[in-house]
Amino acid sequence: MANAASGMAVNDECKLKFQELKSKRSYRYIVFKIEEQQVVVEKCGEPNDSYQDFMASFPADECRYAVYDFDFTTDENCQKSKIFFVAWSPDSSRVRMKMVYASSKDRFKRELDGIQVELQATDASEMSLDIVKARAL
């Protein structure tokens, strides 16, 4: 695992599910994890899942990547949607895990074409709905 940044594979299912979220809106969110040297899909949220459902899908002491399709209304009363990329790295996770996720993040994010906003969070307050709304506008 000496060269995690270049050695991390991305499972094809990650790109496939992301395309379904982006084009067909089949999912509200997707949570990804690194397993055996590759990024894999851990969980897909139903289209009508809430932001609380999304927040509840993150483990308290392990890192994850996630994408969230956020619907909102602008000040001009226009319905819009933005795809958020979340890098979840809680303080309680192991240092080695944080390093692997940090070094692989940019490469993984490049595989997902269509991300509009990136959030990095070490606890739930850093990706609260208020912060997401503020970043979306």
Side-chain angles (χ1 to χ4, degrees):
M1 186 123 176
N3 195 350
S6 61
M8 195 62 62
V10 176
N11 188 299
D12 289 339
E13 185 189 17
C14 295
K15 293 179 256 188
L16 192 71
K17 296 282 188 200
F18 180 74
Q19 286 303 324
E20 290 175 15
L21 175 141
K22 190 171 87 169
S23 56
K24 299 181 188 145
R25 300 180 69 104
S26 305
Y27 311 106
R28 173 62 56 196
Y29 62 87
I30 306 169
V31 179
F32 306 95
K33 72 178 186 177
I34 294 176
E35 199 172 72
E36 296 172 14
Q37 300 291 329
Q38 68 173 341
V39 181
V40 297
V41 173
E42 181 178 53
K43 179 180 183 184
C44 295
E46 295 299 318
N48 56 355
D49 278 3
S50 70
Y51 194 73
Q52 283 66 37
D53 296 326
F54 173 64
M55 296 282 286
S57 62
F58 289 96
D61 57 356
E62 289 183 21
C63 301
R64 291 292 186 271
Y65 301 128
V67 289
Y68 185 81
D69 187 7
F70 180 63
D71 294 323
F72 62 100
T73 306
T74 65
D75 293 337
E76 294 81 35
N77 214 22
C78 294
Q79 290 293 317
K80 292 210 170 184
S81 167
K82 282 197 177 168
I83 297 175
F84 277 73
F85 178 87
V86 177
W88 171 248
S89 183
D91 290 330
S92 57
S93 59
R94 294 189 313 276
V95 171
R96 182 176 176 79
M97 179 182 275
K98 289 186 207 179
M99 288 170 53
V100 169
Y101 274 80
S103 65
S104 308
K105 178 184 66 130
D106 289 335
R107 182 170 180 269
F108 176 59
K109 213 173 85 179
R110 278 196 299 274
E111 300 280 339
L112 307 178
D113 186 39
I115 289 170
Q116 293 151 306
V117 184
E118 180 182 335
L119 281 180
Q120 296 202 24
T122 57
D123 69 54
S125 68
E126 293 176 7
M127 56 184 215
S128 69
L129 192 54
D130 291 340
I131 290 173
V132 170
K133 284 178 184 169
R135 294 285 302 274
L137 294 173

